[in-house]
């Protein structure tokens, strides 16, 4: 018989953590955090770097605090939100690029740009990922009752691809791009990669494009479902040996791999958004808990260099330590040394 899962309140959870050698310096704060985020989401998901397992029991390493686990949770939570925002940016870009490619090649009329013969039918293990099923999913969106698709169908009797794709799932669009024939593949690649990369073989650009898109979908889905991101390894594989020269020495994995493939795209916003969020969170967490630098450096496969970040407005002459100081909106994050080199002066209100 399976062991029954019992309910425990936050006070019992707190006592359990204390009995396991976790330092609780502010019990009221810990109870508030446990109530807000949940024991499973906060503790079970982020305790692994800080515990020792012995005889089916768990004990926290000496010196580990509740605030330390909470800070790692916050780091991952903010990374997850940034991944989701970055993937939405990328999704919009990919849909516009795909719409432009098929409009130029086939027409803006749905009967032509969704014609089966325009695409390369390829074997798929699952029926729902075949060309015919993919086209059917896209065609169903033509009859959506939501604007702007419904507006175009009502007014023009048809929907151009740049409008239709707004109502189609990102995964379906990526599968669709995978069925492009060579001319459309090359055109799509030119949208995504304006620069020429000497370390990538010309005939491997499609592999790079498709691997990038499927890895991004995986991270998007993990973020949407609240999964842990900072140490996540995508189920999809970047075919490094087939794409890059053997002597390139590519050693990225996990989150650093996601950053790497995004850095190659001509559209830089997804990379910039994620990289800035990662640097900010690492700087914040490791400033509070410097002993975690080695662990995070290893799991993220990056060198952690502490930086002091400040914020400024494009039209302003001051830099701030608080992004919302003086009612500032859309603040730009920048390293303090770079801010000084731009001639920005410290804000007297928040930089004391």
């Amino acid at each position: 018989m399976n062991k029954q899962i019992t309910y425990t309140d936050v006070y019992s959870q707190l006592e359990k953590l204390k009995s396991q050698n976790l330092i609780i310096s502010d019990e009221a704060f810990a109870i508030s955090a446990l109530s807000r985020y949940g024991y499973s989401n906060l503790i079970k998901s982020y305790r692994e770097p800080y515990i020792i397992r012995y005889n089916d029991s768990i004990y926290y390493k000496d010196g580990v605090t509740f605030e330390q686990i909470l800070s790692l949770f916050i780091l991952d939570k903010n990374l997850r939100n940034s991944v989701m925002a970055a993937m939405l940016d990328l999704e919009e870009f990919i849909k516009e690029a795909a719409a432009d490619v098929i409009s130029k090649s086939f027409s803006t009329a749905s009967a032509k740009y969704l014609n089966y013969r325009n695409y390369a039918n390829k074997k798929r293990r699952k029926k729902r990922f075949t060309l015919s099923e993919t086209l059917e999913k896209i065609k169903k969106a033509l009859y959506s009752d939501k604007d702007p698709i419904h507006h175009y169908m009502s007014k023009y009797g048809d929907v151009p691809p740049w409008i239709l794709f707004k109502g189609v799932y990102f995964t379906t669009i990526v599968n669709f791009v995978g069925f492009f024939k060579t001319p459309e593949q090359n055109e799509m690649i030119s949208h995504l990669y304006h620069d020429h990369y000497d370390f990538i073989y010309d005939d491997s650009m499609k592999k790079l494009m498709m691997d990038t898109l499927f890895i991004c979908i995986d991270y998007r889905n993990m973020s949407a479902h609240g999964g842990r991101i900072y140490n996540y390894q995508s189920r999809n594989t970047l075919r490094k040996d087939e794409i890059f020269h053997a002597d390139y020495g590519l050693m990225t994995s996990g989150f650093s791999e996601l950053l790497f493939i995004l850095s190659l795209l001509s559209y830089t916003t997804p990379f910039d958004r994620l990289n800035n969020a990662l640097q900010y969170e690492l700087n914040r967490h490791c400033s509070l808990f410097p002993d975690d630098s080695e662990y995070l450096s290893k799991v993220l496969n990056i060198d952690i260099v502490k930086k002091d970040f400040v914020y400024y407005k494009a039209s302003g002459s001051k830099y701030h330590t608080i992004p919302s100081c003086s009612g500032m909106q859309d603040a730009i994050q920048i390293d303090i040394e770079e801010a000084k080199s731009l001639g920005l002066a410290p804000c007297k209100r928040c930089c004391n």
Side-chain angles (χ1 to χ4, degrees):
M1 180 180 292
N2 292 332
K3 186 177 179 180
Q4 185 176 357
I5 299 173
T6 58
Y7 167 80
T8 57
D9 60 25
V10 292
Y11 301 99
S12 300
Q13 294 165 3
L14 189 66
E15 290 303 314
K16 179 181 179 179
L17 292 172
K18 289 162 67 177
S19 73
Q20 293 174 332
N21 198 41
L22 184 65
I23 297 172
I24 312 288
S25 58
D26 186 337
E27 292 193 7
F29 174 77
I31 288 172
S32 175
L34 287 169
S35 299
R36 182 181 302 114
Y37 301 120
Y39 184 89
S40 179
N41 287 335
L42 175 53
I43 300 299
K44 285 191 174 181
S45 296
Y46 296 92
R47 69 187 178 188
E48 201 60 37
Y50 307 115
I51 61 173
I52 299 171
R53 298 180 183 273
Y54 181 73
N55 288 341
D56 296 327
S57 296
I58 289 174
Y59 301 94
Y60 287 87
K61 299 173 183 178
D62 289 342
V64 175
T65 67
F66 180 88
E67 289 78 9
Q68 193 168 0
I69 299 175
L70 177 62
S71 181
L72 182 61
F73 166 80
I74 294 298
L75 177 149
D76 194 59
K77 187 175 187 293
N78 289 336
L79 278 186
R80 184 166 60 247
N81 290 339
S82 295
V83 166
M84 195 64 194
M87 294 304 100
L88 289 174
D89 274 336
L90 180 64
E91 177 179 344
E92 188 176 67
F93 172 64
I94 296 301
K95 287 181 176 181
E96 287 296 323
D100 185 75
V101 168
I102 64 174
S103 293
K104 287 180 179 178
S105 291
F106 309 124
S107 169
T108 60
S110 61
K112 294 183 178 179
Y113 70 74
L114 295 178
N115 188 316
Y116 185 95
R117 295 181 180 180
N118 290 329
Y119 304 98
N121 187 19
K122 301 172 185 178
K123 290 184 179 180
R124 294 290 186 265
R125 291 182 180 180
K126 297 182 179 180
K127 183 181 178 181
R128 68 177 184 270
F129 298 133
T130 60
L131 174 58
S132 58
E133 288 294 313
T134 299
L135 288 174
E136 282 304 310
K137 289 177 184 177
I138 299 175
K139 288 176 182 178
K140 284 182 180 180
L142 286 167
Y143 305 100
S144 171
D145 59 355
K146 297 180 181 179
D147 288 332
I149 294 175
H150 180 70
H151 167 76
Y152 271 81
M153 184 59 81
S154 298
K155 186 174 182 178
Y156 301 104
D158 203 1
V159 186
W162 59 86
I163 297 297
L164 181 63
F165 288 175
K166 294 179 184 295
V168 179
Y169 288 122
F170 188 31
T171 302
T172 302
I173 294 297
V174 171
N175 284 330
F176 183 46
V177 170
F179 292 116
F180 282 8
K181 293 181 179 179
T182 299
E184 287 70 46
Q185 288 175 9
N186 292 337
E187 187 66 23
M188 191 72 186
I189 288 168
S190 71
H191 276 74
L192 270 62
Y193 304 97
H194 287 169
D195 298 323
H196 173 71
Y197 295 100
D198 293 334
F199 55 85
I200 302 177
Y201 294 113
D202 290 339
D203 61 355
S204 295
M205 289 302 294
K206 187 200 173 187
K207 292 178 181 177
L208 174 63
M209 175 178 69
M210 296 310 301
D211 290 354
T212 294
L213 295 178
F214 280 115
I215 289 171
C216 287
I217 285 174
D218 199 15
Y219 270 93
R220 183 192 190 282
N221 292 341
M222 179 61 67
S223 299
H225 292 94
R228 195 169 54 232
I229 285 293
Y230 83 98
N231 62 351
Y232 180 64
Q233 298 284 336
S234 176
R235 296 170 297 176
N236 294 297
T237 303
L238 178 64
R239 291 169 283 184
K240 301 180 181 71
D241 294 340
E242 299 177 41
I243 297 170
F244 303 99
H245 289 298
D247 60 353
Y248 183 64
L250 189 66
M251 298 298 290
T252 57
S253 62
F255 202 87
S256 63
E257 180 177 82
L258 176 64
L259 285 173
F260 172 74
I261 58 178
L262 289 177
S263 73
L264 300 179
L265 295 173
S266 59
Y267 181 50
T268 62
T269 298
F271 169 79
D272 292 339
R273 185 187 294 274
L274 275 190
N275 189 51
N276 288 340
L278 177 63
Q279 295 303 325
Y280 177 83
E281 284 301 321
L282 287 176
N283 190 70
R284 179 195 60 78
H285 181 80
C286 293
S287 293
L288 296 170
F289 307 101
D291 289 344
D292 283 2
S293 296
E294 183 178 352
Y295 164 72
L296 288 172
S297 178
K298 182 178 180 180
V299 76
L300 288 164
N301 195 27
I302 62 172
D303 293 326
I304 296 178
V305 179
K306 185 180 181 300
K307 292 184 178 181
D308 293 319
F309 289 107
V310 292
Y311 305 88
Y312 76 102
K313 196 168 183 178
S315 59
S317 60
K318 309 284 187 182
Y319 65 79
H320 307 261
T321 58
I322 301 173
S324 59
C325 181
S326 303
M328 184 168 53
Q329 296 181 350
D330 299 324
I332 301 170
Q333 179 180 286
I334 190 174
D335 179 79
I336 190 170
E337 296 303 322
E338 187 177 353
K340 292 177 180 178
S341 71
L342 293 175
L344 299 175
C347 169
K348 294 181 179 179
R349 177 180 298 180
C350 66
C351 292
N352 290 331

